[in-house]
Amino acid sequence: MSRTSPHRASQQHASEPAELSRRGLLRTAGGLTAALALAGSSAALAGTTAGAAPAAFTHPGMLHNAGDINRAKVRVAAGTDPWLSGWKKLTANSHSQSTWTPNPQATIIRGGTGENYGILYNDIAAAYQNALRWAVGGTAANGDTAVRILNAWSSKLTTLTGNADRFLAAGIYGWTFCQAAELMRGHAGFDLAAFQKMMVNVFYPLNNSFLTHHNGACITNYWANWDLCNMASVMAIGILTDNAAKYDQAVTYFKSGAGNGSIAHAVPFLYTDSGGYGLGQWQESGRDQGHTVMGMGQMGAICEMAWNQGDDLYSYDGRRFMKGAQYVAKYNLGQDVPYTTYKWGTGQNCAQMSQTVISAGSRGALRPVWAMLHYHYNRRLHLDDKYISAMYGRVAPEGGGGDFGSTSGGFDQLGFGTLMYAK
């Protein structure tokens, strides 16, 4: 079936500007000034399409850049909200304590007999949260703990296995683990080379295998999040290891990949509501809202990492992702949205399935995915993000892993967006 709405052309606002490549600005001698001008002026949005990987990667340059870290540091020290409220959410979390003891495993299993992947996602949350406390608060003990967690795992983990869910483990825990390592880059005692080796040898092969072969299944068999987490991991590993080919692999898949995580497949149908807001039906909307909201966090992470390397995927294809996020937010706020029957092929033989109505399962569930999107579209680009903004208001100040339940769904996003993205 066609993955685009038959009415797509008429449903987009004619006045929407093209997506912008920031790299040219960031590479110039006046790159900082130009980047600040870009962040503060919607008039700067006319530009060319993003290209290949940067000539030199920016570090830190994944979910957080140096400006994000400095802003949070200054605002927290001054006791200014909402940063201070976000900081208090972080310091109250049990995972952010410098007393955390890592529990590294040689083998992580997700799916099937002997599952133990909860050990990994808890340690990743602890590594990230301690890294944030060190980066923002400057506390040496937290920095030492983050390093201790990262080194413990890179010296022991050799295998990710299980049933098909092993690909979820490689994707979700691949990109999230890289975030802590990027923050600790250059810290005394951190064995960056060993951590890079682990990511390349243990995580990337599964990421690449899934995006290339989809576990031998029909290309549409797996939901968008399966692609998205593996794309995010490939991008994060590319940045962490300064590998342009891996970074480009993720960007290319985002734009034109055959699976459900590429942008046109993840947001297959476009609409405009009565208020004039562009909406985009999310691929998992007929499944349940928990996984749909998860998609906001996974695709948001890809867009934020790319942004910090000079590529504007947030605005790619007429800001298609923003329309998807507005749609998901509006429905989870309790409002009605349009829905087009979604059809896809399953299994190895592409047996046809369809969903005729949007799912109310987990509707309204709160997860820490909205700050990143709100502060990008509303504060960087000065756009009216009515529904995204309202959803962010419900969860703010954002917490992170450990604040949204003990199961894996509560750890799929690292969180703390209020602290790190408020502008």
Side-chain angles (χ1 to χ4, degrees), residues 312-334:
D312 187 2
L313 299 184
Y314 276 117
S315 295
Y316 187 74
D317 194 12
R319 292 198 205 90
R320 199 178 187 98
F321 178 40
M322 181 182 183
K323 294 170 185 175
Q326 287 274 77
Y327 178 96
V328 172
K330 183 175 183 180
Y331 184 67
N332 281 276
L333 287 166

Side-chain angles (χ1 to χ4, degrees), residues 258-328:
N260 286 323
S262 60
I263 186 64
H265 294 161
V267 187
F269 307 112
L270 299 178
Y271 315 92
T272 301
D273 71 6
S274 59
Y277 293 94
L279 303 176
Q281 182 174 314
W282 189 254
Q283 190 262 344
E284 300 195 46
S285 292
R287 181 188 183 192
D288 64 67
Q289 298 309 305
H291 286 95
T292 296
V293 173
M294 176 187 175
M296 302 302 98
Q298 304 292 319
M299 186 169 279
I302 293 169
C303 291
E304 188 67 20
M305 287 190 286
W307 176 268
N308 284 327
Q309 295 301 328
D311 285 314
D312 187 2
L313 299 184
Y314 276 117
S315 295
Y316 187 74
D317 194 12
R319 292 198 205 90
R320 199 178 187 98
F321 178 40
M322 181 182 183
K323 294 170 185 175
Q326 287 274 77
Y327 178 96
V328 172

Side-chain angles (χ1 to χ4, degrees), residues 97-308:
Q97 308 310 309
S98 62
T99 53
W100 187 274
T101 301
N103 185 18
Q105 306 291 307
T107 300
I108 285 295
I109 304 168
R110 177 164 179 166
T113 303
E115 285 189 325
N116 65 346
Y117 65 100
I119 296 171
L120 178 56
Y121 66 65
N122 275 280
D123 269 6
I124 290 173
Y128 175 73
Q129 291 180 30
N130 273 276
L132 274 189
R133 289 192 66 171
W134 172 76
V136 176
T139 47
N142 291 110
D144 292 343
T145 297
V147 166
R148 186 164 60 251
I149 298 168
L150 297 172
N151 286 347
W153 280 91
S154 66
S155 66
K156 189 164 186 177
L157 181 64
T158 60
T159 306
L160 292 176
T161 189
N163 60 22
D165 284 3
R166 69 190 184 277
F167 295 111
L168 288 176
I172 298 169
Y173 311 134
W175 78 260
T176 52
F177 220 169
C178 282
Q179 306 306 316
E182 180 75 354
L183 288 172
M184 301 312 297
R185 180 186 288 267
H187 190 282
F190 176 39
D191 192 343
L192 176 61
F195 194 89
Q196 291 171 324
K197 182 178 180 181
M198 176 185 69
M199 298 311 302
V200 170
N201 293 342
V202 180
F203 288 83
Y204 177 75
L206 286 170
N207 302 147
N208 182 58
S209 175
F210 185 79
L211 294 176
T212 304
H213 304 295
H214 285 84
N215 201 29
C218 177
I219 192 64
T220 57
N221 181 72
Y222 290 95
W223 302 102
N225 276 306
W226 290 69
D227 271 359
L228 288 170
C229 66
N230 282 285
M231 291 156 60
S233 183
V234 170
M235 178 175 283
I237 293 169
I239 296 169
L240 187 73
T241 61
D242 295 293
N243 187 296
K246 289 181 174 63
Y247 176 88
D248 281 346
Q249 179 183 4
V251 172
T252 299
Y253 201 100
F254 177 93
K255 294 179 178 180
S256 59
N260 286 323
S262 60
I263 186 64
H265 294 161
V267 187
F269 307 112
L270 299 178
Y271 315 92
T272 301
D273 71 6
S274 59
Y277 293 94
L279 303 176
Q281 182 174 314
W282 189 254
Q283 190 262 344
E284 300 195 46
S285 292
R287 181 188 183 192
D288 64 67
Q289 298 309 305
H291 286 95
T292 296
V293 173
M294 176 187 175
M296 302 302 98
Q298 304 292 319
M299 186 169 279
I302 293 169
C303 291
E304 188 67 20
M305 287 190 286
W307 176 268
N308 284 327

Side-chain angles (χ1 to χ4, degrees), residues 393-408:
R394 289 192 175 185
V395 73
E398 280 188 354
D403 292 323
F404 296 89
S406 61
T407 60
S408 60

